[in-house]
Amino acid sequence: MNNGGGFLQGQIIKAVSGFYYVATVQGEIFQTRGRGILRQKKLAPLVGDYVEFSAANQTDGALEEILPRKNQMIRPTVANVDLGVVVMSARKPNFSLNLLDRFLVHLEFFKISALLFVTKLDLVEDIDQDEFLTVQKDYQKIGYPVILSNKNELEKYFPHQLTVFMGQSGAGKSTLLNELAPDLTLATGEISESLGRGRHTTRHVELHPLFNGLIADTPGFSSLDFPDEMTPEVLPYLFPEIGETSAGCKFRQCSHTNEPGCAVKEAVLHHEILNSRYENYQQFLKEIKEKKPQYKKGV
């Protein structure tokens, strides 16, 4: 698309070794490099960015400007994300409510809709299936869609959205995407028996067209650090049910830990808020308070 000022417009779908691959609305892909002016402004192009660029041909282009982002994830580094699919395995590696809530808190922080997809339910004994039906019921009550291994249910969420797949290493993200779209042929890795987790087989972020939307496969990881901007005051509102309930607290700046008249603690006692969610909130709050600030040079 031409913006009328001589530049073309498109979206970065891949970034490798200093080259940015930009797709236009017409479906053409241009290989570009960033202009020096972007470095002077300390602007780093990200996969998902909408950009203006100039190009003599499809292999010799230059990024001129990065258009405003609606959001920007830190890990993975993707911009303008609409939906985050958190892929968690039932077994090998074992399902973790703590890790799930970490992913959900991050998505809430970046104002990205979230969905939970559980893989490897075939490894769960029949007697333990109820555990995941309970997770499904509990998290859907909070407002998060939960899909238990049925990949066909995912398709309706993709159209007209940029979707990021994230989750545990070895949970089967790339395998799931390959089943959804065999043409992607994304690299998959076996689970390390000694470590109980998968090798990182996804090396860079790339957007792929799928079901009238774009999806990104991203490196798997087993832990998440909280951004410096995620403060103790912000955290309660990243748990939607805690943020909503906090309106009934006696004190306006209630941390929902030791204060009297705390509506959140009362809701936990009455099983209106999951005890596991409240325990994870307390743990995350402690981690954020103990986190050392990262000072930037020259500031």
Side-chain angles (χ1 to χ4, degrees), residues 168-285:
Q168 297 161 294
S169 298
K173 296 182 302 300
S174 295
T175 299
L176 172 62
L177 285 168
N178 281 331
E179 289 174 353
L180 286 166
D183 291 345
L184 294 183
T185 59
L186 299 170
T188 58
E190 296 176 357
I191 297 295
S192 162
E193 290 295 335
S194 59
L195 297 177
R197 60 177 183 264
R199 293 192 295 269
H200 291 203
T201 54
T202 306
R203 300 300 178 185
H204 63 269
V205 180
E206 182 174 352
L207 304 185
H208 305 273
L210 186 66
F211 301 116
N212 294 315
L214 290 170
I215 57 97
D217 185 32
T218 65
F221 35 92
S222 300
S223 63
L224 281 171
D225 293 325
F226 296 117
D228 291 340
E229 298 80 8
M230 193 182 290
T231 63
E233 294 74 27
V234 168
L235 184 64
Y237 299 96
L238 305 181
F239 289 79
E241 71 278 33
I242 291 178
E244 184 178 339
T245 305
S246 67
C249 290
K250 180 178 180 181
F251 297 104
R252 192 171 184 180
Q253 296 297 326
C254 186
S255 68
H256 320 302
T257 52
N258 302 311
E259 298 91 341
C262 175
V264 170
K265 290 192 294 182
E266 193 70 19
V268 174
L269 284 174
H270 289 88
H271 308 291
E272 295 163 0
I273 290 177
L274 292 175
N275 192 61
S276 61
R277 291 272 289 174
Y278 180 64
E279 287 179 352
N280 288 337
Y281 163 75
Q282 288 181 302
Q283 181 185 332
F284 300 168
L285 183 65

Side-chain angles (χ1 to χ4, degrees), residues 146-165:
V146 179
I147 299 175
L148 302 180
S149 286
N150 186 352
K151 63 181 181 293
N152 294 327
E153 288 185 38
L154 276 172
E155 296 179 15
K156 65 184 179 184
Y157 292 96
F158 294 147
H160 314 298
Q161 299 214 82
L162 195 169
T163 300
V164 166
F165 279 66

Side-chain angles (χ1 to χ4, degrees), residues 88-95 118-129 131-132 148-149 168 170-172 191 193 196:
M88 303 285 291
S89 62
R91 299 286 186 267
K92 294 186 177 183
N94 287 336
F95 188 82
V118 181
T119 64
K120 305 185 185 181
L121 277 172
D122 57 312
L123 300 180
V124 177
E125 299 288 342
D126 289 345
I127 196 171
D128 295 323
Q129 291 281 348
E131 170 191 348
F132 295 96
L148 302 180
S149 286
Q168 297 161 294
I191 297 295
E193 290 295 335

